[in-house]
């Protein structure tokens, strides 16, 4: 009987594998047999490490020697909300130095919530001759000096996206470091920079890069300069404006309007800081082509928003402040039948009273009017079970549902009951739900619903909810596809955690802060589960100076094949099998 | 020595306490009830009433805690290092100042820090501002002069004697000298290596519009912000 291994040349297999992009499929391929495993690992070009501490750079390099594109994530999601103390970790330096020697042909680095220094940026700029893509999403630790190195040395750079990173602004002249003969920019996002960049350098750069598709400016680029930029890049597909304000002048307006009209390919708009409503009509000519509109920094009122949004019949994504009001969302529901994603952010998140008439009704309208709506992030101040049930029934195709009722423990405002049945309806009807964030008054009941129905759920965020360990137990024992669980200020403790310890190895990570998990339980978990790093984060000092039954402040548990990390600050302790390692 | 909680405890100083041993340092024992709650990241000052909300849920969560909590004094990063300064004006302490005033829980509602920062810039200025596109140095010291309203920020350079790297701060984010000095103290931990110093041994000086160096605090805050060009922190030579 002929053996497959002999009849199929490696080159053919490699060629076939090159069509397989998804990690899951490639992982499956690599398990077929030894030779497939080897061929696959030599041909894998993209690696995604969802938790930079789950594996060491050496191990990745050893397995996949010919990688061209790397994506890494560092801090836990709750770091976005200041729940992870500064200095916790997420340093990318070890990865960059390892890759600098191992992957000379590396083309793409994408980082999220990591700390990257100017030294690393410089190393990147000098180590990878064919470097093309740098995406730094919510990163920190670097300055415009690092960006200058990238600009100066990366001759083949196509994409520089600074996301919402914290960049130390030392000089706006880094942009001038792109050489005069550099023309390959395709995507530039500098929206996060607080200070002005050299405008003439920006203009010249935009003017000489014919393939520029995405340009996201920062707030410091004034409106009267925007027309100029647009005229140099009429091929733009995605634009983020700077400050959208200027004295109302007819010449500025007509230049701007003309420039926008000239951008026939424009599909995505963002920016719009400090909006002067009189200038909004300048974008009207292109509204009907827009697929994505980010007005989440635009402090304009509902009537203007309605005028704008009603012209965007092809809109698929809208991010907006709650200034849109229920009335605006009604208009959205009526005009934008192709809407897939809606995010409504609060204009006054820390105020005690509602400042705008935006309620659950707006979301209900959109769920009724927009049949393709599948992703929602909604901040509001009141909700009812009835509304949630209506939304659930309207939109069984929902895949991401994040609701934030601003005041913790807020009940159904009509019945004063917990919102358990409302969220229960969401998980029951929306069978493909992958991401869910809860809020409002919730008992253990809601977790029972979630454990029973949310079988495709991958990420769950819980705050100020539940009554007992049973709640946590329902989640961990019921949600088969859970990868990330983040919990804050819930009365969940040791029992559910220890009873479901094995589950944690099937997940990427678990975060629990201000809950009732004791130090003793953490130690036990660390001892029982060598495949997990159980990190206790506590700024009060070493937890073993307090009774074992004392609750710890923050817990971060994640699976890893590379053991406890060695870059922990003084307020993080890893519970390990070997007690001696605990003090490192 | 008295630990001035309001000024001394940093909000967001990176903790580098490898090899930390409580016994090596003097610790302050606090008897206030609020100290029995986990000292959460956001508090710059342990004001009782501010913690009511968080306190309630924490009590439910934790039950009884020991009444006395000891705080390590050196929550500072005691080493002067570039990395610390490279971080620039870190978002957290500015945000938390607003959070303190607004009396609510850390990290709630869950809005990205970067977005909150943008929001605060909106709230501070009703009129639309125009960022001055003039050169960097003058932008440091002046408001926008284009007449469409006040600028969104008022950056001034802050130097401290003995610290190599200066910082930039946005004076618009503060409303009083106290708020400013609180923030400066967290920004310049290097100068606090000697823990026996208390706050009185530092003086905040500024250079005004006329180029003269004056002691901060004599004129009303508003007048100060209209005139200040740059700041310098001096250490008083004390016995």
């Amino acid at each position: 009987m002929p053996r497959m291994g002999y009849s199929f040349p490696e080159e053919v297999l490699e060629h076939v594998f090159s069509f397989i992009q998804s990690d899951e499929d490639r992982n499956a391929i690599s398990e077929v047999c030894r030779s497939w495993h080897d061929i696959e690992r030599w041909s894998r070009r993209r690696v995604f490490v969802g938790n930079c501490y789950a594996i060491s750079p050496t191990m990745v390099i050893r397995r996949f020697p010919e990688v061209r594109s790397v994506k890494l994530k560092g801090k836990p999601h709750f770091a976005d909300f200041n729940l992870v103390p500064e200095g916790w970790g997420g340093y990318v330096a070890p990865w960059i130095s390892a890759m600098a020697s191992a992957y000379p042909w590396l083309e793409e680095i994408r980082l999220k919530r990591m700390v990257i220094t100017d030294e690393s940026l410089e190393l990147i700029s000098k180590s990878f001759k064919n470097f093309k893509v740098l995406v730094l999403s919510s990163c920190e630790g670097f300055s415009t000096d690092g960006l200058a190195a990238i600009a100066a040395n990366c001759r083949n750079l196509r994409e520089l996206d600074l996301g919402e990173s914290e960049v130390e602004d030392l000089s706006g002249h880094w942009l001038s470091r792109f050489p005069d003969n550099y023309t390959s920019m395709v995507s530039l996002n500098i929206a996060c920079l607080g200070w002005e960049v050299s405008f003439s350098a920006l203009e010249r750069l935009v003017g000489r890069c014919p393939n520029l598709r995405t340009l996201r400016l920062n707030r410091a680029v004034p409106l009267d300069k925007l027309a100029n930029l647009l005229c140099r890049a009429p091929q733009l597909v995605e634009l983020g404006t700077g400050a959208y304000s200027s004295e109302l002048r007819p010449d500025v307006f007509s230049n701007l309007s003309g420039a926008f009209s000239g951008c026939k390919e424009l599909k995505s708009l963002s920016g719009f800081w400090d909006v002067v409503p009189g200038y909004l009509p300048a974008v009207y000519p292109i509204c009907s082509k827009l697929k994505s509109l980010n007005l989440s920094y635009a402090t304009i009122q509902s009537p203007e928003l309605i005028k704008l949004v009603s012209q965007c019949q092809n809109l698929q994504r809208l991010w907006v402040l709650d200034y849109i009001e229920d009335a605006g969302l009604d208009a959205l529901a009526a005009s934008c039948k192709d809407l897939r994603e809606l995010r409504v952010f609060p204009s006054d998140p820390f105020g005690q009273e509602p400042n705008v008439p935006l309620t659950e009704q707006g979301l209900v309208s959109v769920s009724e009017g927009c049949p393709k709506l599948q992703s929602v992030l909604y901040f509001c101040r009141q909700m009812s079970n009835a509304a949630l049930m209506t939304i659930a029934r309207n939109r069984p195709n929902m895949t991401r549902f994040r609701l934030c009722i601003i005041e913790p423990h807020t009940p159904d405002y009509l019945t004063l009951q917990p919102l358990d049945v409302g969220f229960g309806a969401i998980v029951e009807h929306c069978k493909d739900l992958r991401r869910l964030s809860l809020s409002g008054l919730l008992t253990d009941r809601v977790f029972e619903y979630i454990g029973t129905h949310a079988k495709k759920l991958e990420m769950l965020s819980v705050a100020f909810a539940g009554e007992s360990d049973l709640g946590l137990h329902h989640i961990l024992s019921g949600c088969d596809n859970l990868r990330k669980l983040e919990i804050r200020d819930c009365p969940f403790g040791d029992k559910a955690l220890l009873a479901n310890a094995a589950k944690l190895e099937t997940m990427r990570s678990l975060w629990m802060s201000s809950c009732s998990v004791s130090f003793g339980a953490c130690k036990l978990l660390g001892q029982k589960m060598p495949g997990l790093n159980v990190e206790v984060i506590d700024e009060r000092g070493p937890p073993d100076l307090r009774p074992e039954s004392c609750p710890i402040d923050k817990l971060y548990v994640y699976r890893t094949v590379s053991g406890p990390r060695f870059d922990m600050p003084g307020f993080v302790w890893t519970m390990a099998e070997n007690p001696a390692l605990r003090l490192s | 020595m008295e630990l001035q909680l309001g000024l001394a405890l940093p909000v967001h100083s990176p903790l580098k306490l490898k090899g930390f041993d409580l016994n090596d340092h003097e610790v302050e024992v606090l008897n206030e009830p609020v100290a029995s709650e986990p000292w959460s990241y956001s508090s710059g000052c342990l004001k009782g009433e501010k913690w009511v909300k968080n306190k309630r849920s924490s009590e439910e969560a934790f039950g009884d805690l020991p009444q006395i909590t000891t705080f390590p004094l050196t929550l500072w990063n005691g080493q002067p290092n570039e990395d610390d300064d490279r971080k620039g004006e870190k978002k957290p302490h500015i945000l938390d100042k607003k959070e303190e005033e607004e009396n609510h829980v850390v990290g709630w509602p869950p809005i990205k820090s970067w977005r909150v920062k943008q929001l605060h810039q909106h709230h501070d200025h009703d009129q639309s501002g125009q960022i001055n596109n003039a050169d960097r140095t003058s932008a440091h010291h002046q408001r926008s002069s284009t007449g469409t309203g006040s600028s969104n920020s008022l950056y001034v350079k802050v130097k401290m004697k003995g610290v190599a790297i200066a910082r930039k701060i946005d004076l618009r984010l503060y409303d009083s000298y106290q708020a400013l000095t609180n923030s400066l103290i967290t920004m310049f931990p290097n100068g606090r290596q000697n823990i026996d110093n208390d706050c009185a041994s530092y003086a905040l000086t500024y250079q005004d519009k006329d180029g003269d160096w004056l002691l901060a605090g004599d004129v009303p805050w508003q007048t100060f912000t209209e005139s200040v060009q740059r700041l310098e922190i001096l250490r008083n030579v004390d016995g």
Side-chain angles (χ1 to χ4, degrees), chain A residues 273-432:
Chain A
W273 287 284
D274 315 312
V275 177
V276 162
Y279 276 108
L280 279 175
V283 304
Y284 287 174
I286 51 146
C287 278
S288 59
K289 298 215 198 86
L290 285 182
K291 293 219 171 114
S292 168
L293 188 52
N294 181 353
L295 294 168
S296 61
Y297 300 107
T299 49
I300 42 177
Q301 304 304 315
S302 185
E304 267 92 35
L305 284 165
I306 292 176
K307 262 186 254 164
L308 189 53
V309 150
S310 327
Q311 298 185 60
C312 303
Q313 299 89 0
N314 288 307
L315 204 60
Q316 294 183 2
R317 176 194 300 153
L318 177 66
W319 291 20
V320 72
L321 286 170
D322 56 10
Y323 289 133
I324 194 167
E325 300 179 12
D326 287 341
L329 291 174
D330 287 341
L332 180 70
S335 315
C336 305
K337 295 304 183 184
D338 207 25
L339 196 71
R340 322 272 165 108
E341 177 180 329
L342 174 66
R343 296 196 191 187
V344 178
F345 296 95
S347 52
D348 185 22
F350 306 117
Q352 301 293 355
E353 298 299 319
N355 61 323
V356 283
L358 178 110
T359 67
E360 81 284 5
Q361 196 44 52
L363 186 56
V364 170
S365 291
V366 180
S367 77
E368 271 160 7
C370 303
K372 301 220 187 116
L373 185 71
Q374 44 176 237
S375 173
V376 167
L377 170 62
Y378 199 76
F379 284 82
C380 60
R381 289 176 194 273
Q382 70 183 41
M383 187 50 63
S384 66
N385 283 309
L388 284 170
M389 291 192 288
T390 305
I391 292 165
R393 272 189 244 108
N394 285 340
R395 295 275 61 79
N397 53 328
M398 190 79 72
T399 54
R400 290 183 204 79
F401 189 74
R402 293 190 278 166
L403 179 66
C404 179
I405 304 164
I406 289 176
E407 182 69 26
H409 306 123
T410 304
D412 176 327
Y413 76 99
L414 293 169
T415 65
L416 298 182
Q417 292 299 301
L419 290 168
D420 299 336
V421 289
F423 280 106
I426 295 279
V427 293
E428 197 182 331
H429 289 269
C430 308
K431 303 209 189 300
D432 289 324

Side-chain angles (χ1 to χ4, degrees), chain A residues 79-87 117-119 138 140-143 145 164-166 168-172 191-192 195-197 199 219-220 222 224-225 243 245-247 273-276 294 296-299 319 321 323 345-350 352 379 404-409 438-439 463-464 488-491 514-516 539-542 545 550-554 566-571, chain B residues 11-20 22 36-42 53-54 57-58 60-66 69-72 75 82-92 95-96 98-99 102-123 125 127-136 139-140 146-148 152-153 155 165-168:
Chain A
D80 284 354
F81 316 129
N82 291 344
L83 287 177
V84 178
E86 206 168 297
T117 59
D118 287 344
E119 287 71 31
S138 302
E140 58 171 353
F142 63 105
S143 78
D145 284 355
E164 282 160 344
S165 298
E166 284 283 326
E168 169 139 48
D169 230 304
L170 298 177
S171 158
C192 67
W195 281 91
E196 59 265 29
V197 293
F199 189 77
R219 199 171 184 168
D224 53 11
K225 297 266 168 73
S245 65
S246 179
E247 281 172 21
W273 287 284
D274 315 312
V275 177
V276 162
N294 181 353
S296 61
Y297 300 107
T299 49
W319 291 20
L321 286 170
Y323 289 133
F345 296 95
S347 52
D348 185 22
F350 306 117
Q352 301 293 355
F379 284 82
C404 179
I405 304 164
I406 289 176
E407 182 69 26
H409 306 123
L438 306 172
S439 58
F464 304 103
R488 62 163 296 172
D489 293 274
C490 295
S514 305
C515 297
S516 311
E539 289 176 287
R540 293 171 295 174
L545 297 180
C550 210
I552 51 144
D553 187 19
K554 296 168 181 169
F566 298 106
D567 60 357
M568 294 181 297
F571 53 85
Chain B
V11 179
H12 288 271
S13 219
L15 292 179
K16 299 205 167 116
L17 295 176
K18 292 213 170 354
F20 174 88
L22 248 188
S36 70
E37 299 310 324
W39 188 71
S40 184
Y41 192 40
S42 77
K53 238 182 189 158
N54 203 22
S57 60
S58 300
E60 283 158 13
F62 294 116
D64 282 80
L65 282 185
T69 310
T70 56
F71 287 76
L75 290 175
E82 288 234 349
D83 290 333
D84 195 17
D85 282 307
R86 274 201 163 287
K87 288 175 193 132
E89 302 93 76
K90 280 310 273 181
K91 51 198 189 307
L95 279 182
D96 284 338
K98 292 278 178 191
E99 286 184 56
E102 286 144 358
N103 211 22
H104 63 272
V105 179
V106 186
W108 190 267
I111 303 174
K112 276 192 181 164
S113 325
W114 196 74
R115 183 173 290 279
V116 180
K117 194 160 74 166
Q118 304 296 314
L119 256 186
H120 278 137
Q121 291 185 1
H122 280 305
H123 277 296
H125 308 281
Q127 298 158 298
S128 57
Q130 183 171 341
I131 310 281
N132 193 341
N133 210 23
D135 77 315
R136 198 161 217 90
H140 268 139
T146 50
T148 50
N152 287 332
S153 52
Y155 281 95
I165 295 183
R167 307 291 288 262
K168 269 193 332 265

